[in-house]
Amino acid sequence: MKNYIPFFLLIFLSSLTFGQNNDIWTAFPNKDTTLIGFKDKNGTIKIEPKFSGFTTAREFENIIAVSEEKDNKWESYYLTKKGKVVGRDSLYVFDNGPDCENEGFIRFTDRKTDKMGMFNAEGKIVIPAIYSDVSKVHNGVISVLKDAKKKRDPLGEHFFWTGGKELLIDLNNKILIKDFKSDNNLNFYSLQKSKEPSKDQTRDNFLGVDGQYYSFINYEKEFKNWLQNTLLSDLSKANLEKHSFEKITYWKEPDGWINVPKSKFIEENFIYLKLKLEELKNPKTDYFVSTDGLNQFIFESSEYDIYFNNCNESKDWLYPVKNIVINPKNEADFKQDHFHFLRTENGYKLISVSVAKDDLK
């Protein structure tokens, strides 16, 4: 992938000067694995095991969300590397898990107002709790939603936002872009700023409040362009192997997920793979592309570590997985073929396959 110099590098570096610490602490459990603490790189215990499993951080870099029992009550808060406690009972929780720091910043929720803000690595509030929703920090910028209304679905299990204003702000809470309509497919690390809109067809352009245009690569556009011009244009064995991850994971009954070297997988399944991918050239083929993150429960070995953050969450804002789903020709058949491509620093790579029929070897 092409590298871009982050536009907000100076802001980012100045904000993280205090947060840079090469001595990352690693989580470890107590004897019965009910609690976790943290050790430094030399194995010296820095925090005795006292945090519950709700504490999801595997590594303590600058600031983490923790939960511990005190006087028969559970307390949750944010803890900095220097031992500072902030944001008691103000954890930002999504999908039953607390937030994980990114670029030295972590989100919090003001329970009184139900608004969101952000702490820096020192536990200081850098973004006040005035927003309905706040994204993680990506390349020194933050996507926020302001003055929206929260509504629950008919079952009351989930909620969604209606109305409000979408904005792009920086770490000083300065508005960069008003009416920032984002579909969660933007690569914030590809930011370019110019007087005129970018003509790159894989980019989305936004007019900033300063009159300049901010453009970002759109992952969906990028992938479709790559698929047509790089992969489907040459479905040779060599090209398919070139654009595959070092190991391919595939589903096979009754064994489940199997992980094998790409050369072995492609050699044994090339004819089938080519025929299936050839279908994508036919305009009548019924297929779609969805976006997800790498599944942490399948890709568990160390070679995948760079694609997950300190809390074992997929870093899909940098390494999305594009899933090509081919629907069956027979409408009575509900099984689909899935081809998953992981975006890596060296381009998109085929990383896993599951097919409707048990035809993989």
Side-chain angles (χ1 to χ4, degrees):
M1 289 295 173
K2 184 177 180 180
N3 293 320
Y4 296 87
I5 299 174
F7 176 74
F8 293 96
L9 184 61
L10 295 178
I11 297 176
F12 175 61
L13 291 178
S14 63
S15 299
L16 285 187
T17 299
F18 53 77
Q20 294 177 352
N21 192 331
N22 294 325
D23 182 18
I24 296 176
W25 300 348
T26 305
F28 73 99
N30 60 355
K31 290 183 179 180
D32 62 5
T33 68
T34 58
L35 302 171
I36 67 168
F38 288 89
K39 295 180 178 179
D40 66 15
K41 61 184 178 181
N42 298 317
T44 302
I45 296 176
K46 309 300 289 187
I47 303 176
E48 293 286 349
K50 63 176 183 176
F51 302 129
S52 73
F54 188 73
T55 304
T56 57
R58 299 179 302 172
E59 295 181 336
F60 194 159
E61 196 167 8
N62 294 292
I63 184 170
I64 60 173
V66 298
S67 180
E68 65 171 315
E69 186 176 13
K70 287 186 178 181
D71 301 324
N72 297 318
K73 294 182 180 180
W74 286 100
E75 290 188 357
S76 60
Y77 53 89
Y78 293 100
L79 181 67
T80 71
K81 203 74 166 288
K82 294 182 178 180
K84 182 179 180 180
V85 174
V86 295
R88 287 188 182 276
D89 299 317
S90 297
L91 299 191
Y92 167 74
V93 178
F94 179 78
D95 199 19
N96 297 319
D99 198 26
C100 192
E101 81 165 271
N102 201 55
E103 298 182 10
F105 300 87
I106 198 165
R107 296 170 289 183
F108 71 91
T109 300
D110 185 328
R111 299 301 172 193
K112 294 180 181 179
T113 63
D114 200 28
K115 301 295 185 182
M116 290 177 58
M118 191 168 288
F119 290 117
N120 65 15
E122 288 185 331
K124 296 179 180 179
I125 295 176
V126 290
I127 303 298
I130 59 175
Y131 298 106
S132 304
D133 196 25
V134 175
S135 74
K136 290 181 182 292
V137 176
H138 298 137
N139 190 25
V141 297
I142 310 158
S143 175
V144 300
L145 179 64
K146 191 172 185 179
D147 299 328
K149 294 186 180 297
K150 182 184 291 187
K151 291 189 176 182
R152 292 198 172 274
D153 62 25
L155 297 177
E157 295 180 357
H158 304 283
F159 71 87
F160 58 94
W161 295 108
T162 61
K165 299 177 182 178
E166 296 179 62
L167 311 166
L168 187 71
I169 64 174
D170 65 16
L171 294 171
N172 295 315
N173 198 32
K174 177 184 176 182
I175 297 176
L176 302 173
I177 302 173
K178 295 181 179 179
D179 194 28
F180 183 67
K181 301 295 184 183
S182 171
D183 60 359
N184 296 320
N185 257 309
L186 299 183
N187 176 1
F188 289 98
Y189 297 88
S190 68
L191 172 60
Q192 290 181 347
K193 187 177 177 182
S194 58
K195 293 182 179 180
E196 301 292 334
S198 172
K199 296 181 180 180
D200 187 336
Q201 295 300 308
T202 66
R203 287 181 165 269
D204 287 353
N205 290 280
F206 301 87
L207 181 61
V209 296
D210 59 359
Q212 299 286 303
Y213 284 91
Y214 296 71
S215 72
F216 307 87
I217 287 176
N218 182 300
Y219 286 131
E220 184 174 351
K221 295 177 181 179
E222 178 188 62
F223 177 72
K224 289 181 178 180
N225 180 69
W226 173 87
L227 181 65
Q228 294 298 325
N229 299 316
T230 302
L231 187 67
L232 298 185
S233 62
D234 179 11
L235 284 174
S236 64
K237 187 181 296 183
N239 196 48
L240 185 56
E241 185 169 336
K242 176 182 178 182
H243 297 291
S244 293
F245 203 78
E246 289 305 312
K247 291 182 180 179
I248 302 293
T249 301
Y250 68 102
W251 180 268
K252 187 173 182 63
E253 296 288 354
D255 304 311
W257 290 107
I258 299 173
N259 188 279
V260 298
K262 65 178 181 180
S263 56
K264 173 179 171 63
F265 179 80
I266 293 174
E267 179 66 32
E268 295 179 346
N269 298 284
F270 176 68
I271 295 178
Y272 183 86
L273 295 173
K274 183 176 181 179
L275 288 174
K276 274 296 173 184
L277 291 173
E278 285 279 5
E279 291 182 19
L280 301 179
K281 296 181 179 181
N282 187 342
K284 294 184 179 180
T285 298
D286 183 13
Y287 79 96
F288 63 92
V289 178
S290 64
T291 303
D292 206 345
L294 201 61
N295 191 321
Q296 65 267 49
F297 301 108
I298 297 176
F299 302 94
E300 299 179 300
S301 55
S302 60
E303 64 212 278
Y304 306 109
D305 283 351
I306 65 170
Y307 303 107
F308 299 98
N309 66 9
N310 288 350
C311 300
N312 205 31
E313 299 169 331
S314 171
K315 293 161 68 172
D316 53 8
W317 55 90
L318 268 176
Y319 309 113
V321 174
K322 293 296 184 179
N323 179 20
I324 298 176
V325 183
I326 305 176
N327 290 315
K329 297 178 180 179
N330 184 352
E331 294 183 359
D333 189 354
F334 296 102
K335 294 184 177 179
Q336 302 167 313
D337 298 307
H338 295 254
F339 294 83
H340 294 86
F341 294 85
L342 172 68
R343 187 183 191 275
T344 72
E345 294 298 331
N346 297 308
Y348 288 94
K349 304 288 184 180
L350 177 66
I351 194 167
S352 68
V353 178
S354 63
V355 296
K357 297 181 180 179
D358 194 20
D359 290 331
L360 297 178
K361 298 179 182 179

